[in-house]
Amino acid sequence: MAKKEKLIGEAAFEKYYSEVFNERWEKLKEAFKKENDYITFQKTSSTKAYYLDSASVTAASMLPLEDATDILDLCAAPGGKTLILASRMNEDAHLSANERSPERKHRLSTVVSESLPEDISSRILTSCSDGATWCKRQTECFDAILLDAPCSSERHVIADPKYLNVWTENRVKTVASEQWALLSCAFRLLRPEGYLLYSTCALCPKENDEMIDRLLKKFPGQVSIEEPKADSKVKDFTNLKVFPEAEKTGHGYHILPDTSEGAGPIYFCLIKKTVV
């Protein structure tokens, strides 16, 4: 029996995502063609403006910081969500912003220094390390963690033939493996009763809800899925007027561009570490 030829490139991409979204897939692709919905972040008149998707602003506003003094942005570059977290944290709080790529870490440090006043930037430590191995050095040391995990970034794949032409389903499996290493490490870094916000800009459930399924199975009794609430304080230092619509998924929420004026995609899920 002849071996079935494996699809690659646009044909493989189309088959995979049309099976995930069915008839909605065509609407999503049309929404991707529209100009992205950018929001301006500017903390003070003397700091540099930074532009990011309204879905990213929304996701970064969902991590509770009221009682947090030690905060971590585990995969922080290029820095937009770091700015949102930093502007929301308490005056006695400190934020660690980490990025594994030296080039991207340099960009992150520049964004922090240019777009935040000194009284906030002085309480941010930028670092360059592999977030998936951090828990080998420390555990349970942060009150709040944002893990905006590297993902398939389908919106960018569609727009760039260089990536679309070589796409295979294995790409999703590889990325999901990296995400799991980061998520399981982030959970170990979280203190009991602390909050972890997991987010991606991916479309497929394997990188979103199914990642939370794995966390629940790996740490039985320690994972509580919480209902997130957006912090309206972000409207004080951005020109965001309305949070984009977020659709409920099995564990979290998904902001998709066909129903949110072009914002996203962003998936987010709020997790609390419970005491066993």
Side-chain angles (χ1 to χ4, degrees):
M1 190 177 192
K3 191 175 180 180
K4 188 177 179 181
E5 186 177 354
K6 202 167 188 179
L7 288 176
I8 188 171
E10 186 173 0
F13 187 87
E14 285 292 320
K15 182 177 185 298
Y16 185 86
Y17 288 98
S18 62
E19 289 177 355
V20 172
F21 288 98
N22 300 310
E23 65 277 0
R24 188 178 182 180
W25 179 233
E26 293 301 321
K27 295 178 182 178
L28 278 168
K29 286 194 297 181
E30 284 302 310
F32 287 150
K33 294 176 183 177
K34 297 177 182 177
E35 188 170 345
N36 213 334
D37 173 36
Y38 287 107
I39 295 297
T40 304
F41 166 93
Q42 190 159 27
K43 185 62 177 174
T44 69
S45 59
S46 60
T47 54
K48 188 174 181 179
Y50 187 92
Y51 303 95
L52 65 167
D53 189 303
S54 61
S56 296
V57 175
T58 301
S61 77
M62 295 290 181
L63 180 64
L65 299 180
E66 294 88 350
D67 301 317
T69 54
D70 298 301
I71 304 164
L72 172 63
D73 189 352
L74 190 56
C75 301
K81 293 184 182 70
T82 301
L83 298 180
I84 301 297
L85 294 179
S87 299
R88 294 179 51 228
M89 67 182 180
N90 296 331
E91 292 183 0
D92 63 342
H94 291 80
L95 171 62
S96 296
N98 180 70
E99 173 56 45
R100 68 180 179 182
S101 161
E103 294 79 13
R104 285 168 60 82
K105 187 267 181 181
H106 176 73
R107 167 64 176 151
L108 170 65
S109 299
T110 301
V111 167
V112 167
S113 63
E114 292 182 345
S115 296
L116 290 171
E118 199 275 337
D119 65 310
I120 297 179
S121 63
S122 63
R123 292 183 284 119
I124 300 175
L125 174 65
T126 58
S127 60
C128 183
S129 69
D130 182 359
T133 62
W134 192 322
C135 59
K136 294 181 179 180
R137 305 187 300 275
Q138 291 177 289
T139 58
E140 297 190 344
C141 50
F142 293 100
D143 304 305
I145 299 174
L146 171 63
L147 171 55
D148 183 34
C151 66
S152 289
S153 302
E154 294 94 343
R155 185 167 193 157
H156 299 294
V157 171
I158 290 175
D160 193 333
K162 179 177 70 174
Y163 297 108
L164 183 59
N165 292 339
V166 298
W167 191 92
T168 70
E169 188 175 338
N170 283 336
R171 171 62 179 161
V172 175
K173 296 176 182 177
T174 299
V175 171
S177 178
E178 295 172 355
Q179 290 167 338
W180 172 243
L182 287 162
L183 180 57
S184 56
C185 182
F187 192 75
R188 290 182 173 94
L189 290 171
L190 190 65
R191 288 174 178 149
E193 301 299 318
Y195 289 95
L196 165 63
L197 188 84
Y198 175 75
S199 73
T200 78
C201 58
L203 292 173
C204 61
K206 285 187 183 298
E207 299 179 49
N208 298 330
D209 271 350
E210 290 183 28
M211 205 58 56
I212 309 304
D213 286 331
R214 292 183 68 175
L215 193 71
L216 287 161
K217 187 175 181 179
K218 177 69 175 179
F219 300 97
Q222 297 181 60
V223 179
S224 175
I225 308 302
E226 302 290 304
E227 185 64 26
K229 183 179 179 182
D231 183 358
S232 60
K233 188 188 298 183
V234 298
K235 296 178 181 179
D236 295 340
F237 43 81
T238 70
N239 63 344
L240 179 70
K241 294 181 173 60
V242 179
F243 290 106
E245 179 182 343
E247 304 173 23
K248 188 73 179 75
T249 67
H251 296 303
Y253 286 87
H254 219 170
I255 299 174
L256 294 167
D258 62 327
T259 56
S260 59
E261 304 294 329
I266 285 283
Y267 167 88
F268 56 87
C269 178
L270 181 62
I271 299 155
K272 185 176 183 180
K273 189 173 193 176
T274 56
V275 178
V276 179

